[in-house]
Amino acid sequence: MRDVVVFINSISVLLFLYAAWTDFRAWKIPNTIVLALVTLYALRAMVVIFGSEDVGAALFASSGIGGDVGAGLLMFMLGVVLWAFRLFGAGDAKLFLPIGLFVGWHGMLPFSFLLLVLGVVTLLALRLPVPLRVAHLAFFMRIEEIRASRKIPYGVLMVFAALLTLALPIIQ
């Protein structure tokens, strides 16, 4: 069971990174990535439920699947509100659902803090000029486009905050 959960988590990390990459390159997060992440979470939840001796605790504890679903729905509603006020794109809003599912209820505070820190660092970094030696590289040319358009691909920040949050128990 543990091997299956690790495999699903590994595929999820790759999909999160792909979502960040597509948001960085085109300011778009495809629906298929979000649906695949939600599906992977559902598969992981089924594996946890069927492998658990206490199904009630796996479902209804705040650190269980119920807490994860609650976090995902709360973050999705927050994303929709931010999208309605034109503060986020639709892709960023819908990416909040799988992030909330995987981060869970107990990971929301670290995720929020890391998202805040990454947002401030990004805003400060976008104010710095790109050194001339690397200005011709595609990555830095894209940074210049982002700076000129003043549209920030928040999906990148959200994904890295989520991955750092998921890595916290491993680091500790």
Side-chain angles (χ1 to χ4, degrees):
M1 175 184 93
R2 182 166 166 78
D3 293 337
V4 175
V5 171
V6 169
F7 177 73
I8 290 172
N9 287 342
S10 301
I11 299 296
S12 301
V13 167
L14 292 175
L15 283 175
F16 275 125
L17 290 172
Y18 183 71
W21 176 248
T22 59
D23 194 33
F24 177 76
R25 289 199 45 193
W27 286 299
K28 299 218 181 288
I29 299 172
N31 292 338
T32 53
I33 294 175
V34 174
L35 290 173
L37 285 166
V38 171
T39 303
L40 283 172
Y41 178 79
L43 287 173
R44 187 180 91 171
M46 287 192 316
V47 168
V48 169
I49 288 170
F50 291 131
S52 176
E53 292 178 11
D54 187 4
V55 175
L59 284 174
F60 300 114
S62 63
S63 62
I65 295 165
D68 295 347
V69 171
L73 292 175
L74 179 66
M75 289 179 66
F76 180 68
M77 287 189 297
L78 174 67
V80 169
V81 169
L82 291 171
W83 171 76
F85 285 114
R86 304 277 187 230
L87 298 173
F88 263 21
D92 302 323
K94 64 188 170 195
L95 187 60
F96 262 143
L97 177 62
I99 286 175
L101 290 173
F102 279 95
V103 168
W105 194 254
H106 292 292
M108 287 186 53
L109 182 62
F111 171 77
S112 301
F113 178 74
L114 289 168
L115 188 59
L116 173 69
V117 169
L118 288 174
V120 169
V121 167
T122 300
L123 289 175
L124 293 175
L126 286 174
R127 293 185 179 264
L128 297 173
V130 175
L132 290 176
R133 291 184 186 186
V134 295
H136 68 283
L137 298 174
F139 175 80
F140 291 103
M141 291 173 63
R142 181 66 179 146
I143 296 293
E144 284 298 321
E145 288 177 32
I146 291 169
R147 182 181 300 159
S149 71
R150 304 188 86 191
K151 288 175 51 180
I152 297 175
Y154 290 110
V156 176
L157 304 174
M158 292 163 48
V159 164
F160 282 109
L163 293 179
L164 287 171
T165 302
L166 293 173
L168 284 176
I170 298 169
I171 294 170
Q172 294 173 349

